[in-house]
Structures are given as structure tokens and as C-alpha cells.
Amino acid sequence: MSYADVRELQSALTTASDIAFSLGSEPSALETHQLTDALRRALAAAGALGAEHGGTGCSEHPRGAVDPLYGDKDDPLPPGWGRCLLCNDRRRRASVQRRGGR
């Protein structure tokens, strides 16, 4: 278990709690989708606490942070990218350098 795993779980539970307590008597489809997504994140984070490769599934950074864009339908990661924020950040920086950026 790492600090990043615990923080991911706490963040997801806080988000789910905030959404749940702000729901009206007839929540919209968007509100229920957001709540479901936050609860799934919390469940995945809780499952990762004792997992061998943590929440990232990464053998290099098993206890690293999960990329917040992983699973985002509106802003998906490129094909082949995983959950590991550290590996994905390295890929992003390498992509910028190849294009002549910084």
C-alpha cells in the first residue's frame, strides 16, 4: 500500500460523497453517471490497496498514481497507454519533444 493508493481512494470517496449529498429528489442522468464513476474509482482504488501491481498495473511503478484521464470517454488516452501516470507523463513529454516542443 502506498500513499498514492490511499489518496486515490480518499479522493474518489470524497467526490462520491459530495455528489451523493448534493443530489436532489430526482437526480439527472449526468449526476447518476458522475456518482457511478466516482464509486467505481473508489472500488478500484480500494482493490488496488493490496494488489501486487497497485492501481496502475505497472511493473515499473506499481505504487504510482493512476492517470486521471484513464477511462475518460471525453478525453481518452492514446491506444496502448495504461493507467500509470508516471509512464503516461513520460510518453507525453517524449511526444512533445518529437514534435519540436520544449
Side-chain angles (χ1 to χ4, degrees):
M1 172 176 14
S2 74
Y3 181 72
D5 294 330
V6 173
R7 290 296 302 150
E8 173 66 16
L9 176 59
Q10 291 170 339
S11 173
L13 288 173
T14 299
T15 300
S17 177
D18 289 347
I19 294 168
F21 282 102
S22 70
L23 292 176
S25 60
E26 294 184 30
S28 69
L30 176 62
E31 290 172 318
T32 56
H33 172 73
Q34 290 172 334
L35 178 59
T36 303
D37 183 56
L39 290 170
R40 282 191 184 118
R41 275 185 44 224
L43 184 59
L49 290 177
E52 182 177 328
H53 287 294
T56 65
C58 176
S59 59
E60 189 176 348
H61 308 107
R63 301 292 184 209
V66 174
D67 192 323
L69 293 180
Y70 183 82
D72 188 337
K73 294 173 188 73
D74 298 328
D75 190 12
L77 293 171
W81 287 29
R83 296 175 57 104
C84 180
L85 178 62
L86 298 172
C87 289
N88 290 348
D89 185 54
R90 183 173 49 211
R91 289 180 183 109
R92 286 181 187 100
R93 284 185 274 126
S95 175
V96 168
Q97 288 175 351
R98 280 193 302 263
R99 290 189 307 238
R102 287 179 128 201

